[in-house]
Amino acid sequence: MGARVTKPLTVYVGLLRGVNVGGHNKLAMTDLRALCEDLGYTDVRTFIQSGNVIFTSAKAPKMTTLEAAIKDRFAIETDVIFRNASELDAAVKGNPFLRPQDSGLHVGFAAANISETVVASLDHERFAPDTFEVVGAEVYLFLPNGAGQSKLPAYLARQLKVPVTLRNWKTVTKLAELAFD
């Protein structure tokens, strides 16, 4: 009888869209951690209250699995976007803006790469001074007056044709750091 081969564990970050925002879709992070553990994920941690969960798994998680589990257990319909630690690191390193320390920098994580046709159709001037760049499945936004004042994220959400969830730069870099802890 041969030795059993186990797959190595990969670190993933799950980003829930629209959870605990403006008093809607309230979900305690302790409950999210417990749900993820029930789904078989290991080393489950959360970061801040906006639906960021870090865990390890031998196989890639499926959006639909966690989305359905959240809906079944908590009656919350949300999109869940996953990035593994390497993908999150690449998103940080792929920032096209020169001043990542600015508080107006955000990253939108899309469920899939955004088509070149869709990107070409986007109006880059309409929301100035707010600006954005699409790189694969990430949308980098620079919102100098803050996300709460900008109409750009809502415009992009309507135009991109795939689910996207937005995080500020500080959260993105912290999640990348936690993914490698």
PDB file of all heavy atoms in Angstrom, residues 135-175:
ATOM      1  N   VAL A 135      -7.316  46.219 -14.934  1.00  0.00           N
ATOM      2  CA  VAL A 135      -6.197  45.319 -15.194  1.00  0.00           C
ATOM      3  C   VAL A 135      -6.687  43.901 -14.918  1.00  0.00           C
ATOM      4  O   VAL A 135      -6.795  43.490 -13.762  1.00  0.00           O
ATOM      5  CB  VAL A 135      -4.976  45.656 -14.307  1.00  0.00           C
ATOM      6  CG1 VAL A 135      -3.821  44.703 -14.609  1.00  0.00           C
ATOM      7  CG2 VAL A 135      -4.542  47.106 -14.477  1.00  0.00           C
ATOM      8  N   GLY A 136      -7.036  43.176 -15.967  1.00  0.00           N
ATOM      9  CA  GLY A 136      -7.532  41.804 -15.806  1.00  0.00           C
ATOM     10  C   GLY A 136      -8.853  41.778 -15.069  1.00  0.00           C
ATOM     11  O   GLY A 136      -9.861  42.287 -15.557  1.00  0.00           O
ATOM     12  N   ALA A 137      -8.839  41.211 -13.869  1.00  0.00           N
ATOM     13  CA  ALA A 137     -10.054  41.115 -13.056  1.00  0.00           C
ATOM     14  C   ALA A 137     -10.044  42.117 -11.901  1.00  0.00           C
ATOM     15  O   ALA A 137     -10.839  42.005 -10.975  1.00  0.00           O
ATOM     16  CB  ALA A 137     -10.221  39.696 -12.512  1.00  0.00           C
ATOM     17  N   GLU A 138      -9.124  43.088 -11.964  1.00  0.00           N
ATOM     18  CA  GLU A 138      -9.083  44.137 -10.950  1.00  0.00           C
ATOM     19  C   GLU A 138      -9.383  45.483 -11.588  1.00  0.00           C
ATOM     20  O   GLU A 138      -8.964  45.765 -12.708  1.00  0.00           O
ATOM     21  CB  GLU A 138      -7.708  44.204 -10.268  1.00  0.00           C
ATOM     22  CG  GLU A 138      -7.546  43.281  -9.083  1.00  0.00           C
ATOM     23  CD  GLU A 138      -7.549  41.813  -9.423  1.00  0.00           C
ATOM     24  OE1 GLU A 138      -6.685  41.356 -10.174  1.00  0.00           O
ATOM     25  OE2 GLU A 138      -8.454  41.106  -8.939  1.00  0.00           O
ATOM     26  N   VAL A 139     -10.110  46.306 -10.832  1.00  0.00           N
ATOM     27  CA  VAL A 139     -10.396  47.669 -11.251  1.00  0.00           C
ATOM     28  C   VAL A 139      -9.798  48.572 -10.177  1.00  0.00           C
ATOM     29  O   VAL A 139     -10.222  48.528  -9.018  1.00  0.00           O
ATOM     30  CB  VAL A 139     -11.916  47.935 -11.365  1.00  0.00           C
ATOM     31  CG1 VAL A 139     -12.168  49.348 -11.865  1.00  0.00           C
ATOM     32  CG2 VAL A 139     -12.591  46.902 -12.249  1.00  0.00           C
ATOM     33  N   TYR A 140      -8.802  49.342 -10.561  1.00  0.00           N
ATOM     34  CA  TYR A 140      -8.147  50.259  -9.632  1.00  0.00           C
ATOM     35  C   TYR A 140      -8.825  51.611  -9.779  1.00  0.00           C
ATOM     36  O   TYR A 140      -8.950  52.127 -10.891  1.00  0.00           O
ATOM     37  CB  TYR A 140      -6.660  50.378  -9.954  1.00  0.00           C
ATOM     38  CG  TYR A 140      -5.921  49.069  -9.796  1.00  0.00           C
ATOM     39  CD1 TYR A 140      -5.862  48.158 -10.842  1.00  0.00           C
ATOM     40  CD2 TYR A 140      -5.311  48.745  -8.597  1.00  0.00           C
ATOM     41  CE1 TYR A 140      -5.190  46.952 -10.706  1.00  0.00           C
ATOM     42  CE2 TYR A 140      -4.637  47.539  -8.447  1.00  0.00           C
ATOM     43  CZ  TYR A 140      -4.587  46.642  -9.503  1.00  0.00           C
ATOM     44  OH  TYR A 140      -3.925  45.457  -9.346  1.00  0.00           O
ATOM     45  N   LEU A 141      -9.279  52.172  -8.659  1.00  0.00           N
ATOM     46  CA  LEU A 141      -9.954  53.461  -8.683  1.00  0.00           C
ATOM     47  C   LEU A 141      -9.201  54.444  -7.809  1.00  0.00           C
ATOM     48  O   LEU A 141      -8.779  54.098  -6.703  1.00  0.00           O
ATOM     49  CB  LEU A 141     -11.379  53.327  -8.130  1.00  0.00           C
ATOM     50  CG  LEU A 141     -12.329  52.392  -8.858  1.00  0.00           C
ATOM     51  CD1 LEU A 141     -12.318  51.018  -8.236  1.00  0.00           C
ATOM     52  CD2 LEU A 141     -13.718  52.952  -8.823  1.00  0.00           C
ATOM     53  N   PHE A 142      -9.044  55.645  -8.301  1.00  0.00           N
ATOM     54  CA  PHE A 142      -8.525  56.725  -7.472  1.00  0.00           C
ATOM     55  C   PHE A 142      -9.659  57.720  -7.303  1.00  0.00           C
ATOM     56  O   PHE A 142     -10.120  58.327  -8.263  1.00  0.00           O
ATOM     57  CB  PHE A 142      -7.292  57.393  -8.072  1.00  0.00           C
ATOM     58  CG  PHE A 142      -6.767  58.473  -7.178  1.00  0.00           C
ATOM     59  CD1 PHE A 142      -6.279  58.173  -5.913  1.00  0.00           C
ATOM     60  CD2 PHE A 142      -6.804  59.794  -7.567  1.00  0.00           C
ATOM     61  CE1 PHE A 142      -5.823  59.171  -5.061  1.00  0.00           C
ATOM     62  CE2 PHE A 142      -6.348  60.804  -6.724  1.00  0.00           C
ATOM     63  CZ  PHE A 142      -5.861  60.484  -5.474  1.00  0.00           C
ATOM     64  N   LEU A 143     -10.145  57.818  -6.068  1.00  0.00           N
ATOM     65  CA  LEU A 143     -11.299  58.644  -5.729  1.00  0.00           C
ATOM     66  C   LEU A 143     -10.841  59.683  -4.699  1.00  0.00           C
ATOM     67  O   LEU A 143     -10.970  59.471  -3.491  1.00  0.00           O
ATOM     68  CB  LEU A 143     -12.422  57.767  -5.153  1.00  0.00           C
ATOM     69  CG  LEU A 143     -12.771  56.507  -5.971  1.00  0.00           C
ATOM     70  CD1 LEU A 143     -13.728  55.611  -5.201  1.00  0.00           C
ATOM     71  CD2 LEU A 143     -13.332  56.891  -7.325  1.00  0.00           C
ATOM     72  N   PRO A 144     -10.292  60.820  -5.152  1.00  0.00           N
ATOM     73  CA  PRO A 144      -9.684  61.780  -4.226  1.00  0.00           C
ATOM     74  C   PRO A 144     -10.647  62.357  -3.194  1.00  0.00           C
ATOM     75  O   PRO A 144     -10.221  62.778  -2.126  1.00  0.00           O
ATOM     76  CB  PRO A 144      -9.123  62.872  -5.140  1.00  0.00           C
ATOM     77  CG  PRO A 144      -9.800  62.706  -6.439  1.00  0.00           C
ATOM     78  CD  PRO A 144     -10.198  61.261  -6.540  1.00  0.00           C
ATOM     79  N   ASN A 145     -11.943  62.363  -3.478  1.00  0.00           N
ATOM     80  CA  ASN A 145     -12.918  62.886  -2.519  1.00  0.00           C
ATOM     81  C   ASN A 145     -13.634  61.775  -1.753  1.00  0.00           C
ATOM     82  O   ASN A 145     -14.607  62.023  -1.062  1.00  0.00           O
ATOM     83  CB  ASN A 145     -13.935  63.778  -3.240  1.00  0.00           C
ATOM     84  CG  ASN A 145     -13.260  64.978  -3.876  1.00  0.00           C
ATOM     85  OD1 ASN A 145     -12.431  65.627  -3.247  1.00  0.00           O
ATOM     86  ND2 ASN A 145     -13.579  65.246  -5.121  1.00  0.00           N
ATOM     87  N   GLY A 146     -13.142  60.541  -1.890  1.00  0.00           N
ATOM     88  CA  GLY A 146     -13.691  59.410  -1.162  1.00  0.00           C
ATOM     89  C   GLY A 146     -14.738  58.635  -1.948  1.00  0.00           C
ATOM     90  O   GLY A 146     -15.397  59.179  -2.840  1.00  0.00           O
ATOM     91  N   ALA A 147     -14.888  57.373  -1.598  1.00  0.00           N
ATOM     92  CA  ALA A 147     -15.837  56.496  -2.285  1.00  0.00           C
ATOM     93  C   ALA A 147     -17.279  56.904  -2.008  1.00  0.00           C
ATOM     94  O   ALA A 147     -18.148  56.749  -2.871  1.00  0.00           O
ATOM     95  CB  ALA A 147     -15.614  55.043  -1.868  1.00  0.00           C
ATOM     96  N   GLY A 148     -17.545  57.432  -0.830  1.00  0.00           N
ATOM     97  CA  GLY A 148     -18.901  57.825  -0.467  1.00  0.00           C
ATOM     98  C   GLY A 148     -19.440  58.981  -1.283  1.00  0.00           C
ATOM     99  O   GLY A 148     -20.652  59.114  -1.459  1.00  0.00           O
ATOM    100  N   GLN A 149     -18.551  59.811  -1.803  1.00  0.00           N
ATOM    101  CA  GLN A 149     -18.950  60.977  -2.587  1.00  0.00           C
ATOM    102  C   GLN A 149     -18.956  60.703  -4.093  1.00  0.00           C
ATOM    103  O   GLN A 149     -19.504  61.476  -4.866  1.00  0.00           O
ATOM    104  CB  GLN A 149     -18.002  62.150  -2.307  1.00  0.00           C
ATOM    105  CG  GLN A 149     -17.948  62.561  -0.855  1.00  0.00           C
ATOM    106  CD  GLN A 149     -19.307  63.002  -0.345  1.00  0.00           C
ATOM    107  OE1 GLN A 149     -20.001  63.764  -0.984  1.00  0.00           O
ATOM    108  NE2 GLN A 149     -19.691  62.475   0.819  1.00  0.00           N
ATOM    109  N   SER A 150     -18.337  59.621  -4.503  1.00  0.00           N
ATOM    110  CA  SER A 150     -18.144  59.356  -5.926  1.00  0.00           C
ATOM    111  C   SER A 150     -19.299  58.567  -6.533  1.00  0.00           C
ATOM    112  O   SER A 150     -19.834  57.652  -5.922  1.00  0.00           O
ATOM    113  CB  SER A 150     -16.850  58.571  -6.127  1.00  0.00           C
ATOM    114  OG  SER A 150     -16.671  58.264  -7.490  1.00  0.00           O
ATOM    115  N   LYS A 151     -19.616  58.892  -7.755  1.00  0.00           N
ATOM    116  CA  LYS A 151     -20.606  58.141  -8.524  1.00  0.00           C
ATOM    117  C   LYS A 151     -19.928  57.113  -9.444  1.00  0.00           C
ATOM    118  O   LYS A 151     -20.590  56.301 -10.071  1.00  0.00           O
ATOM    119  CB  LYS A 151     -21.472  59.097  -9.333  1.00  0.00           C
ATOM    120  CG  LYS A 151     -22.260  60.053  -8.443  1.00  0.00           C
ATOM    121  CD  LYS A 151     -23.406  60.685  -9.168  1.00  0.00           C
ATOM    122  CE  LYS A 151     -24.154  61.697  -8.338  1.00  0.00           C
ATOM    123  NZ  LYS A 151     -24.490  61.345  -7.007  1.00  0.00           N
ATOM    124  N   LEU A 152     -18.597  57.134  -9.505  1.00  0.00           N
ATOM    125  CA  LEU A 152     -17.857  56.220 -10.362  1.00  0.00           C
ATOM    126  C   LEU A 152     -18.060  54.747  -9.996  1.00  0.00           C
ATOM    127  O   LEU A 152     -18.308  53.929 -10.885  1.00  0.00           O
ATOM    128  CB  LEU A 152     -16.365  56.581 -10.373  1.00  0.00           C
ATOM    129  CG  LEU A 152     -15.456  55.687 -11.198  1.00  0.00           C
ATOM    130  CD1 LEU A 152     -15.883  55.664 -12.674  1.00  0.00           C
ATOM    131  CD2 LEU A 152     -14.002  56.150 -11.072  1.00  0.00           C
ATOM    132  N   PRO A 153     -17.977  54.344  -8.714  1.00  0.00           N
ATOM    133  CA  PRO A 153     -18.167  52.919  -8.417  1.00  0.00           C
ATOM    134  C   PRO A 153     -19.533  52.387  -8.872  1.00  0.00           C
ATOM    135  O   PRO A 153     -19.617  51.268  -9.409  1.00  0.00           O
ATOM    136  CB  PRO A 153     -18.022  52.848  -6.887  1.00  0.00           C
ATOM    137  CG  PRO A 153     -17.132  53.999  -6.554  1.00  0.00           C
ATOM    138  CD  PRO A 153     -17.548  55.096  -7.513  1.00  0.00           C
ATOM    139  N   ALA A 154     -20.591  53.155  -8.696  1.00  0.00           N
ATOM    140  CA  ALA A 154     -21.920  52.707  -9.130  1.00  0.00           C
ATOM    141  C   ALA A 154     -21.974  52.583 -10.655  1.00  0.00           C
ATOM    142  O   ALA A 154     -22.558  51.628 -11.190  1.00  0.00           O
ATOM    143  CB  ALA A 154     -22.991  53.658  -8.626  1.00  0.00           C
ATOM    144  N   TYR A 155     -21.377  53.531 -11.353  1.00  0.00           N
ATOM    145  CA  TYR A 155     -21.311  53.478 -12.816  1.00  0.00           C
ATOM    146  C   TYR A 155     -20.591  52.206 -13.266  1.00  0.00           C
ATOM    147  O   TYR A 155     -21.079  51.473 -14.133  1.00  0.00           O
ATOM    148  CB  TYR A 155     -20.593  54.726 -13.347  1.00  0.00           C
ATOM    149  CG  TYR A 155     -20.125  54.633 -14.773  1.00  0.00           C
ATOM    150  CD1 TYR A 155     -21.019  54.793 -15.829  1.00  0.00           C
ATOM    151  CD2 TYR A 155     -18.781  54.386 -15.071  1.00  0.00           C
ATOM    152  CE1 TYR A 155     -20.583  54.705 -17.152  1.00  0.00           C
ATOM    153  CE2 TYR A 155     -18.341  54.305 -16.385  1.00  0.00           C
ATOM    154  CZ  TYR A 155     -19.248  54.460 -17.419  1.00  0.00           C
ATOM    155  OH  TYR A 155     -18.820  54.372 -18.718  1.00  0.00           O
ATOM    156  N   LEU A 156     -19.434  51.933 -12.674  1.00  0.00           N
ATOM    157  CA  LEU A 156     -18.671  50.750 -13.050  1.00  0.00           C
ATOM    158  C   LEU A 156     -19.442  49.473 -12.733  1.00  0.00           C
ATOM    159  O   LEU A 156     -19.424  48.529 -13.526  1.00  0.00           O
ATOM    160  CB  LEU A 156     -17.305  50.758 -12.367  1.00  0.00           C
ATOM    161  CG  LEU A 156     -16.343  51.841 -12.845  1.00  0.00           C
ATOM    162  CD1 LEU A 156     -15.103  51.892 -11.954  1.00  0.00           C
ATOM    163  CD2 LEU A 156     -15.961  51.636 -14.300  1.00  0.00           C
ATOM    164  N   ALA A 157     -20.117  49.439 -11.596  1.00  0.00           N
ATOM    165  CA  ALA A 157     -20.910  48.257 -11.235  1.00  0.00           C
ATOM    166  C   ALA A 157     -21.967  47.954 -12.296  1.00  0.00           C
ATOM    167  O   ALA A 157     -22.236  46.786 -12.599  1.00  0.00           O
ATOM    168  CB  ALA A 157     -21.555  48.447  -9.865  1.00  0.00           C
ATOM    169  N   ARG A 158     -22.550  48.991 -12.858  1.00  0.00           N
ATOM    170  CA  ARG A 158     -23.569  48.791 -13.909  1.00  0.00           C
ATOM    171  C   ARG A 158     -22.948  48.378 -15.235  1.00  0.00           C
ATOM    172  O   ARG A 158     -23.540  47.621 -15.993  1.00  0.00           O
ATOM    173  CB  ARG A 158     -24.370  50.080 -14.119  1.00  0.00           C
ATOM    174  CG  ARG A 158     -25.303  50.439 -12.990  1.00  0.00           C
ATOM    175  CD  ARG A 158     -26.209  51.606 -13.361  1.00  0.00           C
ATOM    176  NE  ARG A 158     -25.507  52.774 -13.851  1.00  0.00           N
ATOM    177  CZ  ARG A 158     -25.034  53.761 -13.090  1.00  0.00           C
ATOM    178  NH1 ARG A 158     -25.194  53.715 -11.785  1.00  0.00           N
ATOM    179  NH2 ARG A 158     -24.412  54.794 -13.630  1.00  0.00           N
ATOM    180  N   GLN A 159     -21.766  48.873 -15.538  1.00  0.00           N
ATOM    181  CA  GLN A 159     -21.171  48.678 -16.857  1.00  0.00           C
ATOM    182  C   GLN A 159     -20.325  47.420 -17.014  1.00  0.00           C
ATOM    183  O   GLN A 159     -20.194  46.907 -18.121  1.00  0.00           O
ATOM    184  CB  GLN A 159     -20.288  49.893 -17.211  1.00  0.00           C
ATOM    185  CG  GLN A 159     -21.005  51.222 -17.228  1.00  0.00           C
ATOM    186  CD  GLN A 159     -22.112  51.267 -18.255  1.00  0.00           C
ATOM    187  OE1 GLN A 159     -21.935  50.855 -19.387  1.00  0.00           O
ATOM    188  NE2 GLN A 159     -23.280  51.753 -17.840  1.00  0.00           N
ATOM    189  N   LEU A 160     -19.741  46.911 -15.950  1.00  0.00           N
ATOM    190  CA  LEU A 160     -18.731  45.864 -16.071  1.00  0.00           C
ATOM    191  C   LEU A 160     -19.269  44.473 -16.404  1.00  0.00           C
ATOM    192  O   LEU A 160     -18.523  43.613 -16.839  1.00  0.00           O
ATOM    193  CB  LEU A 160     -17.860  45.812 -14.815  1.00  0.00           C
ATOM    194  CG  LEU A 160     -17.004  47.055 -14.607  1.00  0.00           C
ATOM    195  CD1 LEU A 160     -16.206  46.942 -13.325  1.00  0.00           C
ATOM    196  CD2 LEU A 160     -16.084  47.304 -15.790  1.00  0.00           C
ATOM    197  N   LYS A 161     -20.520  44.213 -16.155  1.00  0.00           N
ATOM    198  CA  LYS A 161     -21.167  42.952 -16.544  1.00  0.00           C
ATOM    199  C   LYS A 161     -20.726  41.739 -15.726  1.00  0.00           C
ATOM    200  O   LYS A 161     -21.040  40.615 -16.068  1.00  0.00           O
ATOM    201  CB  LYS A 161     -20.970  42.642 -18.037  1.00  0.00           C
ATOM    202  CG  LYS A 161     -21.234  43.790 -18.972  1.00  0.00           C
ATOM    203  CD  LYS A 161     -22.685  44.133 -19.059  1.00  0.00           C
ATOM    204  CE  LYS A 161     -22.896  45.151 -20.175  1.00  0.00           C
ATOM    205  NZ  LYS A 161     -23.824  46.181 -19.864  1.00  0.00           N
ATOM    206  N   VAL A 162     -19.964  41.951 -14.666  1.00  0.00           N
ATOM    207  CA  VAL A 162     -19.578  40.886 -13.742  1.00  0.00           C
ATOM    208  C   VAL A 162     -19.637  41.446 -12.322  1.00  0.00           C
ATOM    209  O   VAL A 162     -19.456  42.642 -12.121  1.00  0.00           O
ATOM    210  CB  VAL A 162     -18.159  40.326 -14.018  1.00  0.00           C
ATOM    211  CG1 VAL A 162     -18.069  39.648 -15.370  1.00  0.00           C
ATOM    212  CG2 VAL A 162     -17.100  41.396 -13.895  1.00  0.00           C
ATOM    213  N   PRO A 163     -19.904  40.597 -11.333  1.00  0.00           N
ATOM    214  CA  PRO A 163     -19.897  41.086  -9.947  1.00  0.00           C
ATOM    215  C   PRO A 163     -18.524  41.641  -9.556  1.00  0.00           C
ATOM    216  O   PRO A 163     -17.490  41.061  -9.899  1.00  0.00           O
ATOM    217  CB  PRO A 163     -20.230  39.845  -9.115  1.00  0.00           C
ATOM    218  CG  PRO A 163     -20.905  38.911 -10.067  1.00  0.00           C
ATOM    219  CD  PRO A 163     -20.285  39.187 -11.413  1.00  0.00           C
ATOM    220  N   VAL A 164     -18.542  42.770  -8.845  1.00  0.00           N
ATOM    221  CA  VAL A 164     -17.323  43.426  -8.371  1.00  0.00           C
ATOM    222  C   VAL A 164     -17.550  43.878  -6.938  1.00  0.00           C
ATOM    223  O   VAL A 164     -18.621  44.381  -6.604  1.00  0.00           O
ATOM    224  CB  VAL A 164     -16.982  44.659  -9.243  1.00  0.00           C
ATOM    225  CG1 VAL A 164     -15.757  45.387  -8.701  1.00  0.00           C
ATOM    226  CG2 VAL A 164     -16.775  44.267 -10.696  1.00  0.00           C
ATOM    227  N   THR A 165     -16.550  43.712  -6.093  1.00  0.00           N
ATOM    228  CA  THR A 165     -16.615  44.241  -4.736  1.00  0.00           C
ATOM    229  C   THR A 165     -15.402  45.130  -4.497  1.00  0.00           C
ATOM    230  O   THR A 165     -14.295  44.804  -4.916  1.00  0.00           O
ATOM    231  CB  THR A 165     -16.728  43.126  -3.678  1.00  0.00           C
ATOM    232  OG1 THR A 165     -16.927  43.721  -2.389  1.00  0.00           O
ATOM    233  CG2 THR A 165     -15.525  42.207  -3.650  1.00  0.00           C
ATOM    234  N   LEU A 166     -15.633  46.245  -3.849  1.00  0.00           N
ATOM    235  CA  LEU A 166     -14.632  47.297  -3.689  1.00  0.00           C
ATOM    236  C   LEU A 166     -14.021  47.264  -2.293  1.00  0.00           C
ATOM    237  O   LEU A 166     -14.730  47.083  -1.301  1.00  0.00           O
ATOM    238  CB  LEU A 166     -15.330  48.647  -3.910  1.00  0.00           C
ATOM    239  CG  LEU A 166     -14.489  49.884  -4.115  1.00  0.00           C
ATOM    240  CD1 LEU A 166     -13.711  49.791  -5.423  1.00  0.00           C
ATOM    241  CD2 LEU A 166     -15.393  51.113  -4.155  1.00  0.00           C
ATOM    242  N   ARG A 167     -12.690  47.451  -2.236  1.00  0.00           N
ATOM    243  CA  ARG A 167     -11.981  47.583  -0.964  1.00  0.00           C
ATOM    244  C   ARG A 167     -11.019  48.759  -1.073  1.00  0.00           C
ATOM    245  O   ARG A 167     -10.424  48.989  -2.120  1.00  0.00           O
ATOM    246  CB  ARG A 167     -11.172  46.317  -0.624  1.00  0.00           C
ATOM    247  CG  ARG A 167     -11.993  45.046  -0.431  1.00  0.00           C
ATOM    248  CD  ARG A 167     -12.902  45.141   0.776  1.00  0.00           C
ATOM    249  NE  ARG A 167     -13.601  43.910   1.087  1.00  0.00           N
ATOM    250  CZ  ARG A 167     -14.739  43.510   0.542  1.00  0.00           C
ATOM    251  NH1 ARG A 167     -15.321  44.235  -0.404  1.00  0.00           N
ATOM    252  NH2 ARG A 167     -15.323  42.398   0.920  1.00  0.00           N
ATOM    253  N   ASN A 168     -10.832  49.483   0.057  1.00  0.00           N
ATOM    254  CA  ASN A 168      -9.850  50.565   0.039  1.00  0.00           C
ATOM    255  C   ASN A 168      -8.440  49.963   0.072  1.00  0.00           C
ATOM    256  O   ASN A 168      -8.242  48.803   0.421  1.00  0.00           O
ATOM    257  CB  ASN A 168     -10.100  51.579   1.162  1.00  0.00           C
ATOM    258  CG  ASN A 168      -9.863  51.019   2.532  1.00  0.00           C
ATOM    259  OD1 ASN A 168      -8.871  50.343   2.796  1.00  0.00           O
ATOM    260  ND2 ASN A 168     -10.766  51.301   3.454  1.00  0.00           N
ATOM    261  N   TRP A 169      -7.478  50.771  -0.323  1.00  0.00           N
ATOM    262  CA  TRP A 169      -6.103  50.301  -0.469  1.00  0.00           C
ATOM    263  C   TRP A 169      -5.537  49.768   0.844  1.00  0.00           C
ATOM    264  O   TRP A 169      -4.824  48.763   0.860  1.00  0.00           O
ATOM    265  CB  TRP A 169      -5.228  51.418  -1.031  1.00  0.00           C
ATOM    266  CG  TRP A 169      -3.851  50.963  -1.367  1.00  0.00           C
ATOM    267  CD1 TRP A 169      -2.696  51.329  -0.748  1.00  0.00           C
ATOM    268  CD2 TRP A 169      -3.471  50.057  -2.406  1.00  0.00           C
ATOM    269  NE1 TRP A 169      -1.614  50.699  -1.334  1.00  0.00           N
ATOM    270  CE2 TRP A 169      -2.081  49.918  -2.360  1.00  0.00           C
ATOM    271  CE3 TRP A 169      -4.184  49.349  -3.374  1.00  0.00           C
ATOM    272  CZ2 TRP A 169      -1.376  49.092  -3.241  1.00  0.00           C
ATOM    273  CZ3 TRP A 169      -3.483  48.537  -4.259  1.00  0.00           C
ATOM    274  CH2 TRP A 169      -2.104  48.419  -4.181  1.00  0.00           C
ATOM    275  N   LYS A 170      -5.845  50.429   1.932  1.00  0.00           N
ATOM    276  CA  LYS A 170      -5.345  49.974   3.238  1.00  0.00           C
ATOM    277  C   LYS A 170      -5.831  48.554   3.537  1.00  0.00           C
ATOM    278  O   LYS A 170      -5.063  47.709   3.993  1.00  0.00           O
ATOM    279  CB  LYS A 170      -5.795  50.948   4.339  1.00  0.00           C
ATOM    280  CG  LYS A 170      -5.247  50.631   5.699  1.00  0.00           C
ATOM    281  CD  LYS A 170      -5.660  51.686   6.710  1.00  0.00           C
ATOM    282  CE  LYS A 170      -5.129  51.351   8.083  1.00  0.00           C
ATOM    283  NZ  LYS A 170      -5.503  52.351   9.077  1.00  0.00           N
ATOM    284  N   THR A 171      -7.104  48.286   3.258  1.00  0.00           N
ATOM    285  CA  THR A 171      -7.654  46.948   3.479  1.00  0.00           C
ATOM    286  C   THR A 171      -7.009  45.936   2.543  1.00  0.00           C
ATOM    287  O   THR A 171      -6.655  44.823   2.951  1.00  0.00           O
ATOM    288  CB  THR A 171      -9.187  46.954   3.300  1.00  0.00           C
ATOM    289  OG1 THR A 171      -9.755  47.828   4.293  1.00  0.00           O
ATOM    290  CG2 THR A 171      -9.773  45.569   3.430  1.00  0.00           C
ATOM    291  N   VAL A 172      -6.838  46.303   1.282  1.00  0.00           N
ATOM    292  CA  VAL A 172      -6.232  45.397   0.298  1.00  0.00           C
ATOM    293  C   VAL A 172      -4.826  44.996   0.728  1.00  0.00           C
ATOM    294  O   VAL A 172      -4.476  43.806   0.716  1.00  0.00           O
ATOM    295  CB  VAL A 172      -6.202  46.043  -1.105  1.00  0.00           C
ATOM    296  CG1 VAL A 172      -5.393  45.209  -2.094  1.00  0.00           C
ATOM    297  CG2 VAL A 172      -7.624  46.248  -1.628  1.00  0.00           C
ATOM    298  N   THR A 173      -4.021  45.969   1.124  1.00  0.00           N
ATOM    299  CA  THR A 173      -2.643  45.641   1.505  1.00  0.00           C
ATOM    300  C   THR A 173      -2.597  44.833   2.792  1.00  0.00           C
ATOM    301  O   THR A 173      -1.766  43.952   2.939  1.00  0.00           O
ATOM    302  CB  THR A 173      -1.778  46.919   1.616  1.00  0.00           C
ATOM    303  OG1 THR A 173      -2.372  47.831   2.539  1.00  0.00           O
ATOM    304  CG2 THR A 173      -1.608  47.582   0.250  1.00  0.00           C
ATOM    305  N   LYS A 174      -3.507  45.101   3.712  1.00  0.00           N
ATOM    306  CA  LYS A 174      -3.546  44.324   4.954  1.00  0.00           C
ATOM    307  C   LYS A 174      -3.977  42.881   4.669  1.00  0.00           C
ATOM    308  O   LYS A 174      -3.421  41.935   5.231  1.00  0.00           O
ATOM    309  CB  LYS A 174      -4.486  44.984   5.973  1.00  0.00           C
ATOM    310  CG  LYS A 174      -4.502  44.286   7.317  1.00  0.00           C
ATOM    311  CD  LYS A 174      -3.136  44.308   8.002  1.00  0.00           C
ATOM    312  CE  LYS A 174      -3.185  43.643   9.356  1.00  0.00           C
ATOM    313  NZ  LYS A 174      -1.879  43.619  10.018  1.00  0.00           N
ATOM    314  N   LEU A 175      -4.975  42.703   3.788  1.00  0.00           N
ATOM    315  CA  LEU A 175      -5.401  41.349   3.429  1.00  0.00           C
ATOM    316  C   LEU A 175      -4.258  40.582   2.770  1.00  0.00           C
ATOM    317  O   LEU A 175      -4.062  39.386   3.047  1.00  0.00           O
ATOM    318  CB  LEU A 175      -6.624  41.384   2.510  1.00  0.00           C
ATOM    319  CG  LEU A 175      -7.933  41.768   3.179  1.00  0.00           C
ATOM    320  CD1 LEU A 175      -9.013  42.030   2.133  1.00  0.00           C
ATOM    321  CD2 LEU A 175      -8.379  40.698   4.170  1.00  0.00           C
TER     322      LEU A 175
END
